[in-house]
Each structure stands twice: as structure tokens, then as C-alpha cells.
């Protein structure tokens, strides 16, 4: 793919895109998901191990992309595994990101309805969200990257500060004993925790736009490491405040944590509104990236103008987002996406790198 200079992004912008893609809904649900599976205070260990595995896979994604500078995943996979299998890989990738976009749209509407606008139909919230996103998407990748370069530091620090404010009487004894029931519970929750890190595979698409591909590995590592820090702090605070048993029963444990924040001796009601406002910005960025990647893939596969694809996907994403009848149905959609990410972020990159090396395809980075 021939990338215009105006569409090129820097390595730092790639880091921001990578981090923004991963950081979305999981910040609200990760403590519950890990507590359900593990059942011990060692959830923070599982989060760290899953993060390290994600860094390894992110590096693999980078290595694959570096072998084919100037080409996206949708182009170079056919050079590695052949046209038929490559098209199949691309279609799976597109479906994954379409479903991811729809999931983010639906879940932000669910959170807004539960905590902010309980009388507003979710259809109105979703259509408004999609309309605002459409304005940015048609501007292509460089404006998206520049906006997220501005937003991520603000949202990341804000989320971190609000979570730290939630700690009133931190007691490290509540996180003990470490490995009190052995290592097995830690690994039993590894899969569900690793799914919260999905999204870093976007690196394989954005390789084509990076102006310095040789520096991408450090970018990939930093992008995931930022998420590891935030996730680890999140689960430690939630488990310390609520305990494992209660955290596993809460739909949105992080929001429940933030509901009662005391600052300078004063009780602040509805403090979670501030957190939700910041969190919605991150959901917005995750959606934008997902929509853009899906549009780019369809555009390159079927030789369609990407702006037409952008508009068409707005309708498709809305239909998928509105399909679940309730919150439980939306959560099940998220589980499907999570397991699909095992293919897009795990199986595909590893397989492509092995075959590319064995068949000597692409340039050695």
C-alpha cells in the first residue's frame, strides 16, 4: 500500500494507538473476571503474567509487520500463507474488529443508562456516539493518531488518580497470603485475564503507516506495559477494598469502588460521573481504532473506497450493537470477542511469523 506523507504516523503515535486500543471496557470489568476465575487475592499475579505474555505477542506482531514495511496485515498475510488463506485471515480480522466496535458502542450505552441517563433509550445514546465518531473516522489515520496523542495522557493520568483516591485505608494484609492456595488458581484465570489485553494486534495493521519501523518493538512493549501498570493497580485496589468474594459478584467493580470517594475530609457524591466521563473518552478511542481497521481491511480486500466502507459499517455496527436483548447478552458478545482475539492476537501472528521465517518471505528486520 502506498502511504501518503499526510497519513504517516510517528513511533510515539503508534504507542498511543496501541495503548488506546487495549484500554477500554476491561478497566471496569477486569477485577470481576479475575476474581470469578481465581478466587484468591493473587489476581494481581495473574494480571502481571498475562501482561508479560501480551508483551511477547505484541513483539511477535511487530516482528511480522517489520518484515513487510509499507504493507498492512491485509496485504502481507497473502504473501506469507497464500491468497486463499490470507483472505480468510483478513476476513476473520475484519469480523473481529467490527464486533469489537459494536461491543464498545453497546457497553458504553449500558453504562450511561445505568449510572447517568437512566431514562434515555440506549438507541439514542448509541446513535449519538456513532455520529460523533463518524466525523473523526473520515479524516483517516493521522488525525486520529494526533487526537489520541493528546487525549491518552489526560485520560490515563485521570483514571489512575481517581482510582488512587478510592483507597482510604489500604491494608496489604488483605492481599495475603501470596500463593496461599498454590500456583494453580493463578493459572486458572490466565485465559480470561489475557483477553483483557487484546487489541495490540493492531500493530500489524499500523506498521504500514509508521515512519520509522525499526523502532516499533520498543513502542509495542511500552504500549502494553502502560496497560499492565493500570490493570495491576486497578485489581489490587478493588481486591483490597471489596475482597475477592464481593468483587466477583459486582457487575462494574471499579465503578462501585469509585462511588464512595473521600477527598480532604469531604464526601463527594456521584464521583463516579467524573470517572465515567474520562472512561468514555477511552471507549471512544477504542471504537475509532476498531472501526478504522475494519474499514481499511474491507477496503483493501474488495477494492472499495474506504469512505464508503466507513459509512456502511456504521449501519452494520449499530445493528450488531442493538441485537443483544439485555446486559447479559452484551456480556456474552464480549466473551465471543475475547475468544476470537485468541486467534487474531495469538494464533495468527505466531503462525505468520513462523511461516514467513521458514519460507523466507519479507525483509529480515
Amino acid at each position: 500500500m502506498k502511504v501518503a506523507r499526510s497519513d504517516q504516523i510517528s513511533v510515539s503515535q503508534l504507542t498511543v494507538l496501541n495503548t488506546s486500543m487495549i484500554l477500554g471496557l476491561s478497566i471496569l470489568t477486569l477485577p470481576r473476571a479475575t476474581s470469578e476465575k481465581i478466587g484468591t487475592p493473587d489476581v494481581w499475579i495473574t494480571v502481571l503474567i498475562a501482561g508479560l505474555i501480551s508483551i511477547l505477542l505484541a513483539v511477535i506482531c511487530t516482528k511480522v509487520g517489520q518484515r513487510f514495511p509499507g504493507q498492512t496485515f491485509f496485504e502481507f498475510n497473502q504473501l506469507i500463507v497464500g491468497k486463499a488463506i490470507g483472505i480468510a485471515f483478513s476476513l476473520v480480522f475484519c469480523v473481529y474488529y467490527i464486533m469489537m466496535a459494536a461491543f464498545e458502542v453497546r457497553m458504553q450505552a449500558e453504562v450511561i443508562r445505568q449510572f447517568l441517563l437512566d431514562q434515555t433509550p440506549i438507541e439514542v445514546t448509541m446513535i449519538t456516539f456513532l455520529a460523533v465518531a463518524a466525523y473523526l473516522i473520515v479524516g483517516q489515520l493521522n488525525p486520529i493518531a494526533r487526537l489520541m496523542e493528546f487525549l491518552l495522557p489526560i485520560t490515563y493520568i485521570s483514571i489512575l488518580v481517581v482510582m488512587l483516591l478510592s483507597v482510604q485505608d489500604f491494608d496489604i494484609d488483605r492481599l495475603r497470603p501470596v500463593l496461599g492456595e498454590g500456583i494453580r488458581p493463578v493459572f486458572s484465570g490466565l485465559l480470561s485475564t489475557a483477553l483483557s489485553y487484546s487489541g495490540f494486534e493492531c500493530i500489524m495493521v499500523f506498521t504500514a503507516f509508521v515512519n520509522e519501523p525499526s523502532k516499533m518493538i520498543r513502542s509495542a512493549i511500552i504500549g502494553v506495559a502502560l496497560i499492565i501498570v493500570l490493570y495491576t493497580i486497578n485489581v489490587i485496589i478493588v481486591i483490597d477494598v471489596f475482597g475477592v468474594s464481593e468483587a466477583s459478584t459486582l457487575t462494574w467493580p471499579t465503578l462501585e469502588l469509585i462511588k464512595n470517594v473521600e477527598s480532604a475530609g469531604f464526601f463527594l457524591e456521584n464521583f463516579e460521573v467524573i470517572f465515567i466521563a474520562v472512561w468514555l473518552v477511552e471507549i471512544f478511542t477504542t471504537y475509532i481504532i476498531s472501526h478504522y481497521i475494519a474499514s481499511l481491511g474491507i477496503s483493501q480486500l474488495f477494492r472499495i473506497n474506504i469512505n464508503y466502507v466507513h459509512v456502511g459499517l456504521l449501519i452494520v455496527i449499530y445493528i450488531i450493537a442493538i441485537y443483544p436483548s439485555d446486559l447479559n447478552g452484551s456480556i456474552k458478545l464480549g466473551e465471543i470477542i475475547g475468544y476470537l482475539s485468541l486467534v487474531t492476537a495469538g494464533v495468527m501472528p505466531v503462525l505468520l511469523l513462523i511461516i514467513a521465517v521458514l519460507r523466507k518471505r519479507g525483509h529480515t528486520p
Side-chain angles (χ1 to χ4, degrees):
M1 183 181 74
K2 187 175 182 180
V3 178
R5 182 176 295 273
S6 59
D7 279 335
Q8 286 187 338
I9 60 175
S10 65
V11 176
S12 62
Q13 288 175 327
L14 175 65
T15 304
V16 169
L17 287 168
N18 185 19
T19 304
S20 298
M21 181 64 220
I22 302 172
L23 182 58
L25 186 68
S26 294
I27 193 69
L28 301 186
T29 60
L30 181 61
R32 170 176 52 80
T34 52
S35 299
E36 284 178 344
K37 295 292 183 180
I38 300 170
T40 72
D42 298 320
V43 294
W44 62 274
I45 300 177
T46 304
V47 171
L48 285 175
I49 295 174
L52 294 175
I53 294 173
S54 299
I55 286 179
L56 175 61
L57 291 174
V59 170
I60 291 174
C61 290
T62 305
K63 286 286 189 181
V64 175
Q66 284 180 326
R67 298 181 73 92
F68 302 90
Q71 297 184 59
T72 68
F73 168 84
F74 306 107
E75 295 171 314
F76 67 66
N77 66 35
Q78 297 184 34
L79 301 177
I80 299 174
V81 295
K83 186 173 182 179
I85 299 178
I87 290 175
F89 277 15
S90 296
L91 289 174
V92 170
F93 222 70
C94 290
V95 169
Y96 166 72
Y97 277 103
I98 290 172
M99 292 178 65
M100 175 72 79
F103 179 66
E104 300 296 333
V105 172
R106 177 58 183 265
M107 294 308 285
Q108 62 84 25
E110 292 284 357
V111 171
I112 289 176
R113 178 169 63 176
Q114 182 171 344
F115 292 95
L116 299 179
L117 307 174
D118 59 334
Q119 299 300 317
T120 303
I122 60 172
E123 293 85 355
V124 174
T125 307
M126 289 192 291
I127 291 174
T128 304
F129 185 92
L130 290 170
V132 175
Y135 178 77
L136 178 60
I137 291 172
V138 295
Q140 302 307 326
L141 184 60
N142 192 270
I144 293 173
R146 284 189 277 113
L147 177 64
M148 293 182 187
E149 197 173 23
F150 169 74
L151 291 176
L152 181 64
I154 298 174
T155 55
Y156 187 94
I157 294 173
S158 299
I159 290 172
L160 187 59
V161 169
V162 172
M163 286 195 302
L164 291 175
L165 284 174
S166 305
V167 182
Q168 304 302 319
D169 298 304
F170 185 82
D171 186 357
I172 196 170
D173 288 334
R174 296 170 188 161
L175 302 175
R176 297 173 177 170
V178 177
L179 300 178
E181 297 184 22
I183 197 69
R184 178 169 293 188
V186 171
F187 285 102
S188 67
L190 198 57
L191 178 60
S192 60
T193 307
L195 300 180
S196 299
Y197 286 97
S198 60
F200 56 80
E201 66 279 357
C202 68
I203 294 172
M204 293 191 292
V205 175
F206 295 140
T207 305
F209 300 90
V210 178
N211 55 11
E212 295 180 286
S214 60
K215 299 180 180 179
M216 285 175 52
I217 291 181
R218 189 169 77 172
S219 170
I221 294 173
I222 292 174
V224 180
L226 288 171
I227 300 297
I228 294 176
V229 172
L230 200 60
Y231 280 0
T232 304
I233 293 174
N234 182 27
V235 296
I236 286 176
I237 294 176
V238 170
I239 297 304
D240 185 80
V241 173
F242 292 121
V244 177
S245 57
E246 186 175 354
S248 63
T249 63
L250 298 172
T251 304
W252 315 103
T254 303
L255 283 177
E256 295 297 331
L257 174 73
I258 294 168
K259 274 186 176 181
N260 300 316
V261 175
E262 292 182 18
S263 178
F266 297 95
F267 181 76
L268 303 177
E269 292 186 358
N270 299 323
F271 199 86
E272 71 275 13
V273 172
I274 301 174
F275 181 87
I276 291 174
V278 176
W279 170 79
L280 281 173
V281 174
E282 279 306 318
I283 284 289
F284 181 77
T285 58
T286 302
Y287 168 80
I288 291 292
I289 298 172
S290 300
H291 188 137
Y292 180 82
I293 291 176
S295 294
L296 181 65
I298 293 173
S299 174
Q300 292 187 336
L301 277 175
F302 301 104
R303 309 300 181 191
I304 305 174
N305 185 299
I306 192 170
N307 288 326
Y308 297 151
V309 181
H310 285 324
V311 175
L313 280 187
L314 287 172
I315 301 172
V316 174
I317 289 170
Y318 176 79
I319 292 173
I320 297 174
I322 202 65
Y323 179 76
S325 57
D326 53 22
L327 179 59
N328 290 331
S330 303
I331 293 174
K332 289 180 180 178
L333 175 62
E335 292 174 354
I336 295 172
I337 296 169
Y339 288 110
L340 189 58
S341 72
L342 295 177
V343 178
T344 59
V347 176
M348 284 185 185
V350 173
L351 191 61
L352 288 173
L353 181 60
I354 292 174
I355 295 175
V357 171
L358 293 177
R359 300 182 67 180
K360 298 180 180 179
R361 297 298 172 88
H363 306 285
T364 304

